[in-house]
Amino acid sequence: MTDTLNHGLIDDLYRLGENIADTKAPADVPIEQLWTTAKFENKLVNPANRRKLSVIIVGTGLAGAAAAATMGEAGYHVKAFCYQDSPRRAHSIAAQGGINAAKNYNDDGDSIYRLFYDTVKGGDYRSRETNVYRLAEVSTNIIDQCVAQGVPFARDYGGLLDNRSFGGVQVARTFYARGQTGQQLLIGAYQAMERQVAAGTVQEYVRHEMLELIVVDGKARGIIARDMVTGEIETHVADVVVLASGGYGNVFFLSTNAMGCNVTATWRAHRKGAYFANPCYTQIHPTCIPVSGDHQSKLTLMSESLRNDGRIWVPKRKEDCDKDPRDIPEEDRDYYLERIYPAFGNLVPRDIASRQAKYMCDEGRGVGPMVGDFRRGVYLDFSDAVSRMGAEAVKAKYGNLFDMYARITGEDPYQVPMRIYPAVHYTMGGLWVDYDLETTIPGLYAIGEANFSDHGANRLGASSLMQCLGDGYFVLPNTIRNYLAEGPFEQVTEDHPAVVEARQSVEGRIEQLLSVNGERSVDSFHKELGHIMWEYCGMERTEEGLRKAIGQIRSLREEFWRNVRVLGSAKTLNQSLEKAGRVADFLELGELMCIDALHRRESCGGHFRAESQTEDGEALRHDDEFLYVAAWEFAGEPSGAPGAPVLHKEDLIYKAIELKQRSYK
Amino acid sequence: MNLTLKIWRQDGPDTAGELVTYPVTNISEDMSFLEMLDVLNEELTAKGEEPVAFDSDCREGICGMCSLMINGEAHGPEVTTTCQLHMRSFRDGETITIEPWRASAFPLVRDLVVDRSAFDRIIQAGGYISVNTGAAVEANNMQVPKVAADRAFDTATCIGCGACVAACPNASGMLFLGAKVTHLGELPQGQAERDSRVVSMLNQHDHDGFGGCTNIGECAAACPKEIPLDVISQLNADFRQAKKHA
Ligand SMILES: Cc1cc2nc3c(=O)[nH]c(=O)nc-3n(C[C@H](O)[C@H](O)[C@H](O)COP(=O)(O)OP(=O)(O)OC[C@H]3O[C@@H](n4cnc5c(N)ncnc54)[C@H](O)[C@@H]3O)c2cc1C
Ligand code: SF4
Ligand code: FES
């Protein structure tokens, strides 16, 4: 694919390939008219032909379910896959806080341009301007669509939709359904999709896991999936494949992601030629319930909407850290975010809030139980809010979150301040896509958290739901026509060599996993990988740490294939086998994340390189050197292990927005 | 704490199952019930025994994937999901019996895993508002009184876990169905299909082998989302109304 041989290894780790660029956004059109122009210029597929075209969608979260419903309605044959027992359980269901839209219902100065501006700025100028503008533009349609479906958003007494403001912005543009916005949006998309299942346009395959991508003559033509109940390896061919398989935060083992979230679908596609963009951009969420011990299987997020009314503080003095917080008088509390960032206070962007919490704990001013030799927690205090608006009003707004907190910790947050600590939450990296959301493999599209384009180095709150639904309902169904209009496509049969090869590689891999029969459980490898990633590729990264991590991951991966123990058979429901396949892919992705983090010698958004900071410890970007998307091409070794990957840069071009260093002070 | 677990093991729908006893030690009360099972599974793996299969995903009480009858109660002794049940709800030395959901509409897959796709089929039968993408009208054109919006919301929070079915002596799915019918029926957008929805969903419910409701109330008592029993009255009222209109 690239002329890489002329370039030597850089830092012993990667090679440099040719630059790439998005060529799909209409050229020389003002940003306000881009999407309208693109929609007009996109090819059409007439309804009779749509019946002859087939689409595979992997994932039925917000992005996938919305796309399946819309493509089904349009008349295409859709096959939709998910690993859960029902599409309604996708990880999107857990989103709490809300979804943004530039409706300006409050007349507080909001507009499409402002949402666009906030999103690009919030992402530290590492997202693609054209895509983000389109996102802001479709945001208003999303709300209309969801309301029409019966999504019960919060309403005021006049019966109109209610809004709140969310981390990092100064307007109230976030629509919400109590603390369960993701659930309600997903149920809406799921119901729309089930309607198409009943209509016969969508076939759903639950408890099915995509394990390989089929590429025929350079084009994506299907997937190999495992029926997780019978163990059968199935071949599904189609004219086009869409990955809506979510993010890869579980590479850290502990995260706010659902247990089954994985990178397999996108990683398998990456190995087949799809570039992986900005893998090192991980969002760490500031408001999670702190870890309580070694047994922990996942972390729970407390919606960051809590930062609207809760005040964050730690004791001024270390000696006070084990006191009952209610006994610490006002003058001995350090409301550090309000102190350092008076303009934004507790609503600073997530990366800043997270890092500051870590610093407070590193300084020894953390609160809560000792985990290891550290207290990892800061207070999120509602006592002011309770006295200002009353416990009932607080309950109406945040009741379910308070209940959840009480259930998990055994403490009553109406009485005692909550404790919070940052946790891995979201991954801004993903498959590289162009304006049409097409990857570098023709006929392979990526939507939702699985792609990289809209959030840059940091995602603002309430903007992922917007992107997932925007991609699924409005963007993909319009852009994919450009490709489908080239159909009808040549039939691919199951005995095509590329199909047979894909199938055999899946079978071989499963057999290999089951035959190692070593000493260590899959989880033990996953936990160890997670420790390495959190320690060296987490909130703060250094050259030395990252190099160390790469070495450790390589030897862990080597041990995995020699010493993992996966019991049972391939022919039944086998949860260790499922996990083993996912962890094997995480072990490869982890290395790429570290290489990406290492090569980017700047700090931006969720990527904080200790070597690149201002005198007062703020993240320091280097736009002169790093104003690009890092799109990595897989270059495996003959042994099958990932070899030195090839870096392709996509220069980021800002025409509608002026580049600024970020300052929230 | 130390516990004795009696867990239902069954390789597949066609093989015989039995309760197998496993002692576990050093369980912390901060663990969730599922984390306790993770610990057991690590031990089983170390001994070369196949781990116990059970469902879970979000582990924060919202996806509805986890299940388990614990000492005969759906999701165990507290009104919550199994993933949000913590070991502080148990006593040191206790014996805990763990079984899968039991209902003929939820066939067993393996060990503690059952197939709840009948719920999806009920939704396919009409649990939606028929609106195509792309042409929705401006959202604020339609006001929804706060009371209606709140009730719609409260009933929309059903997570489709199936505890109501597992808890019901008749294995009825009417709390689940009633929740959906009430959610959509409270909203102006949901009126056009209100009659056909309830009839078609109920038919599917019966067709899939769920039992009828005889007002026992175990469903609402076990529901982790506290869906109120009166959604079943609403369901019945909507059904009568639909028959009248028909
Ligand atoms: C606790 C929490 C709170 C959040 N709150 C907010 C919020 O308030 N606002 C906001 O904007 N964002 C929020 N987010 C982020 C947001 O929820 C996610 O980014 C978003 O829902 C991702 O949606 P998705 O459709 O891309 O993928 P997902 O919802 O993750 O769906 C992935 C789908 O892919 C399937 N899948 C994955 N791999 C495979 C495979 N190999 N084979 C077959 N199927 C596969 C899964 O079964 C699933 O159906 C939150 C996230 C978390 C964890
Ligand atoms: S009604 Fe309650 S118990 Fe039944 S499926 Fe819904 S949430 Fe679960
Ligand atoms: S695992 Fe999601 S509700 Fe329990």
Side-chain angles (χ1 to χ4, degrees), chain A residues 211 226 231 233 502-518 560-562 564-571 574 576-578 580-581 584:
Chain A
L211 296 176
R226 179 170 180 272
I233 304 300
R503 204 187 158 95
Q504 282 171 348
S505 82
V506 167
E507 284 162 350
R509 199 169 141 86
I510 290 177
E511 213 174 275
Q512 203 186 345
L513 286 169
L514 285 169
S515 63
V516 177
N517 202 16
F560 176 86
W561 287 105
R562 185 167 45 75
V564 71
R565 169 177 289 186
V566 185
L567 301 167
S569 101
K571 295 286 168 217
N574 184 341
S576 327
L577 177 64
E578 292 159 20

Side-chain angles (χ1 to χ4, degrees), chain A residues 415-462:
Chain A
Q415 302 296 326
V416 193
M418 290 181 176
R419 287 174 291 110
I420 53 168
Y421 196 68
V424 169
H425 177 57
Y426 180 89
T427 44
M428 283 77 70
L431 292 185
W432 186 89
V433 290
D434 59 23
Y435 190 70
D436 279 358
L437 306 183
E438 191 173 17
T439 68
T440 47
I441 300 178
L444 180 71
Y445 289 74
I447 59 177
E449 195 175 335
N451 76 22
F452 88 101
S453 59
D454 291 12
H455 304 297
N458 177 48
R459 175 175 69 82
L460 286 183

Side-chain angles (χ1 to χ4, degrees), chain A residues 608-658:
Chain A
F608 190 81
R609 271 296 287 268
E611 297 91 345
S612 181
Q613 49 181 309
T614 62
E615 270 168 21
D616 42 7
E618 297 295 316
L620 184 62
R621 278 195 343 245
H622 294 294
D623 292 337
D624 46 342
E625 283 178 85
F626 293 101
L627 194 60
Y628 61 77
V629 173
W632 297 92
E633 178 188 350
F634 184 80
E637 287 165 359
S639 66
V646 182
L647 170 63
H648 300 269
K649 298 176 181 176
E650 178 199 339
D651 287 329
L652 288 165
I653 301 157
Y654 292 101
K655 290 187 191 158
I657 262 182
E658 186 199 346

